[in-house]
Amino acid sequence: MELRGLLETTVDGLGYELVDVELSNRGKMLRLFIDKPPAGRQGAGASAITVDDCARVSNQLARVLEVEGVDYDRLEVSSPGLDRPLKKEADFARFAGEQARLTLRIPVDGRRNFTGVMRAVAQGRLELEMEDGRVSIDLANIDKARLVPRIEF
């Protein structure tokens, strides 16, 4: 089984969602970002990731990686943070109504960077509402996407 699949299976089996995986230091350092699944999969009111959640996933993964013979020096498990990356179509749908910052691979209307409220996701396209109107963006054209944290006083 490939590494990402192994990580995803293990994390999902513990009741969490694998948001992202980073390999650095020549593949010797594994950094995982986990989240709690949307309310529909886990029950009402999914809350933020805690240190205990990260420790639980880290302990289980250390065992699984040892059994599978995966060579690594360091394993880090953490929350995706307030500026959570958006990777899958399901992420865009889950956070519809929230503001996101996008960087595109190929410019649309002469721009590669967009910030706006995600309105709808369907058939591989994202409708983004900005101050100067709406734009429809092909999800395959998105290089990076992150939520814009809401600051409330």
Side-chain angles (χ1 to χ4, degrees):
M1 178 181 277
E2 67 138 18
L3 181 59
R4 182 162 181 103
L6 176 66
L7 297 172
E8 197 156 19
T9 299
T10 304
V11 170
D12 285 355
L14 292 170
Y16 300 95
E17 174 188 6
L18 182 62
V19 175
D20 202 6
V21 176
E22 293 177 359
L23 293 170
S24 59
N25 194 18
R26 296 187 185 122
K28 294 294 187 174
M29 206 267 297
L30 282 170
R31 180 177 293 134
L32 281 74
F33 298 92
I34 62 169
D35 204 354
K36 293 191 178 170
R41 277 182 50 195
Q42 183 181 344
S47 57
I49 290 294
T50 66
V51 172
D52 289 338
D53 294 322
C54 293
R56 179 174 179 230
V57 171
S58 179
N59 290 334
Q60 182 66 27
L61 279 173
R63 291 185 199 105
V64 169
L65 294 172
E66 182 179 346
V67 167
E68 294 293 327
V70 176
D71 184 30
Y72 70 97
D73 291 333
R74 197 163 121 200
L75 173 65
E76 292 181 6
V77 179
S78 67
S79 159
L82 295 175
D83 63 340
R84 181 193 200 278
L86 305 168
K87 299 283 188 174
K88 305 172 283 210
E89 185 168 342
D91 294 340
F92 292 95
R94 174 180 175 183
F95 293 102
E98 297 289 331
Q99 192 172 41
R101 183 170 294 118
L102 313 175
T103 302
L104 305 182
R105 291 181 177 94
I106 300 167
V108 170
D109 298 331
R111 297 173 57 180
R112 289 188 62 220
N113 297 305
F114 291 85
T115 300
V117 177
M118 298 179 293
R119 290 297 174 200
V121 179
Q123 299 173 340
R125 296 197 67 79
L126 170 67
E127 286 289 322
L128 191 69
E129 183 179 330
M130 302 172 304
E131 288 181 12
D132 56 349
R134 282 188 182 220
V135 64
S136 178
I137 298 171
D138 186 348
L139 291 176
N141 189 24
I142 298 175
D143 186 37
K144 294 181 185 173
R146 288 189 166 276
L147 290 177
V148 175
R150 268 194 262 170
I151 300 173
E152 298 177 12
F153 297 96

